[in-house]
Amino acid sequence: MNRMFKATTAGRSVDEITEGRRLRRMRKADWSRRLVQENRLTVDDLIWPIFLIDGENRREEIAAMPGVFRLSVDLAVREAERAAKLGIPALATFPNVELSLRDQTGSAILDPDNLVNRASRAIKAAVPEIGVITDAALDPFTSHGHDGILRDGIIVNDETVAQIATAAVLQADAGADIIAPSDMMDGRIGAIRDALDAAGFQDVAIMSYATKFASAFYGPYREAIGTKGLLKGDKKTYYIDHANADEAVREAEQDLAEGADMLMVKPGLPYLDIIRRLKDEFAMPTFAYQVSGEYAMIRAAAANGWIDGDKAMLESLVAFKRAGCDGILTYFAPQVAEMLRA
């Protein structure tokens, strides 16, 4: 409390102090609360991550993520059509690749007809108006579950970056509108930008997983893409320590200098402070990924009757907007879109 305020309130009652400045006035009715609401969630804020599997007419529920499914490409196209009707702007696709196609280097990511690229072509052919976001990281394609090429127990940076850049061009050629590399290798954004431009994909954007933290919240996702049990060790040599905020800002600054068009913070709710800092520092389009662990916690607590699931879901998404997000990757996207439309 500053000196001037102390001087003006000395010796006065609460009623005298708050006279003319009762903040509860605008909270008394639904219409007035809506009138002064500072942040709003709309369907335009939503990106829907979906999981892919090979085959036809296949839908597999993911045990750790109730209500979320792995989908064959034909069913993914149907969900893309549904998303477009709901007004969801974009999908982000993640493959669960057969173990027989995985190896130490993740070489299947360089197949122009791999699961990700087939899905992009099919979705863009059927629903050209919806955005398709693809990840150029290697973890769904490696036999060890790491995001890069493993040599003598070390994830090698530059060889991984070269392969990711080549994969990004293949993904763009298949119809991806945005490349969102989640691997956290040094220099990957610049390499991808150069490769896309050289191949004539100057209009394909890059959403950088600029601040991807070494987090405990990724477990259900690893089950979803089939890397649970494959991973030896952890990813702390390339993901950011969850205790470090300044380092996250430096990562984002470097990615923007290399040509990133958008920044992403992952996970979401435990890192609202990072979202706010990036938005304040750079004023760039900023996104959060409400990751599988966050989704699973809300679902599990709701299933046990401990929280109101719908209210908690909406509150969490508005929190991202309040922190400064322009959009949110969330598995709740279709449910939220239907609620907002209703």
Side-chain angles (χ1 to χ4, degrees):
M1 189 181 294
N2 61 43
R3 291 180 181 178
M4 182 177 292
F5 187 74
K6 284 182 179 179
T8 59
T9 60
R12 298 169 65 194
S13 69
V14 171
D15 284 344
E16 289 173 326
I17 292 169
T18 59
E19 185 179 1
R21 60 168 83 199
R22 288 185 178 271
L23 298 179
R24 288 182 57 191
R25 288 192 184 109
M26 297 310 296
R27 302 173 193 160
K28 68 180 181 179
D30 176 70
W31 68 263
S32 59
R33 291 192 296 271
R34 287 188 287 118
L35 194 66
V36 298
Q37 189 175 59
E38 296 175 27
N39 295 284
R40 295 183 186 277
L41 179 71
T42 76
V43 71
D44 296 331
D45 299 315
L46 305 175
I47 297 170
W48 184 15
I50 62 172
F51 296 105
L52 305 168
I53 50 174
D54 276 308
E56 291 185 11
N57 197 32
R58 290 182 64 195
R59 180 187 297 267
E60 298 177 351
E61 187 165 20
I62 300 159
M65 301 176 69
V68 177
F69 299 84
R70 303 181 193 94
L71 305 167
S72 54
V73 171
D74 55 325
L75 297 187
V77 169
R78 289 189 204 170
E79 294 292 28
E81 292 168 344
R82 174 189 172 205
K85 289 176 182 177
L86 288 170
I88 295 172
L91 305 176
T93 58
F94 299 94
N96 183 312
V97 177
E98 305 251 355
L99 285 174
S100 62
L101 298 176
R102 304 186 191 200
D103 58 25
Q104 286 286 103
T105 65
S107 61
I109 200 173
L110 300 178
D111 180 356
D113 200 37
N114 66 29
L115 183 54
V116 172
N117 294 333
R118 281 188 280 118
S120 294
R121 289 191 192 95
I123 290 169
K124 293 303 286 188
V127 199
E129 67 271 24
I130 202 163
V132 172
I133 302 172
T134 56
D135 184 358
L138 303 186
D139 51 326
F141 300 93
T142 58
S143 55
H144 44 73
H146 278 286
D147 297 39
I149 296 171
L150 188 64
R151 302 280 188 208
D152 299 321
I154 297 171
I155 302 300
V156 293
N157 192 91
D158 295 358
E159 188 178 350
T160 297
V161 167
Q163 184 157 304
I164 285 170
T166 302
V169 172
L170 294 172
Q171 291 176 0
D173 189 56
D177 301 288
I178 296 173
I179 306 298
S182 68
D183 55 284
M184 291 298 290
M185 297 296 119
D186 289 335
R188 75 201 190 287
I189 300 301
I192 290 171
R193 184 72 273 160
D194 289 346
L196 290 172
D197 290 352
F201 295 112
Q202 293 89 347
D203 292 336
V204 172
I206 298 175
M207 176 187 286
S208 169
Y209 283 66
T211 61
K212 186 176 182 181
F213 291 86
S215 171
F217 288 92
Y218 301 140
Y221 171 86
R222 289 171 184 163
E223 178 182 328
I225 66 167
T227 60
K228 182 180 179 181
L230 296 180
L231 189 64
K232 305 301 181 186
D234 54 44
K235 302 189 177 187
K236 292 181 180 179
T237 64
Y238 47 104
Y239 289 3
I240 302 173
D241 188 324
H242 62 257
N244 294 357
D246 292 342
E247 182 182 3
V249 174
R250 293 196 297 272
E251 281 277 6
E253 184 175 30
Q254 179 170 308
D255 286 359
L256 288 172
E258 291 180 15
D261 302 286
M262 294 162 276
L263 299 173
M264 187 200 296
V265 177
K266 182 180 181 181
L269 283 178
Y271 299 91
L272 295 179
D273 60 316
I274 305 298
I275 296 167
R276 184 74 265 164
R277 281 192 66 176
L278 297 190
K279 194 65 176 178
D280 289 344
E281 288 265 353
F282 305 114
M284 287 292 290
T286 303
F287 296 78
Y289 198 140
Q290 186 179 47
V291 299
S292 59
E294 298 173 68
Y295 172 89
M297 287 193 301
I298 293 174
R299 282 290 196 199
N304 280 282
W306 298 332
I307 61 172
D308 183 312
D310 287 348
K311 289 181 179 178
M313 170 186 67
L314 292 172
E315 183 178 340
S316 69
L317 296 175
V318 171
F320 291 123
K321 294 291 293 180
R322 189 185 67 243
C325 276
D326 299 284
I328 308 127
L329 286 81
T330 176
Y331 303 101
F332 290 118
Q335 181 181 349
V336 173
E338 290 187 358
M339 289 174 67
L340 292 173
R341 185 168 67 171

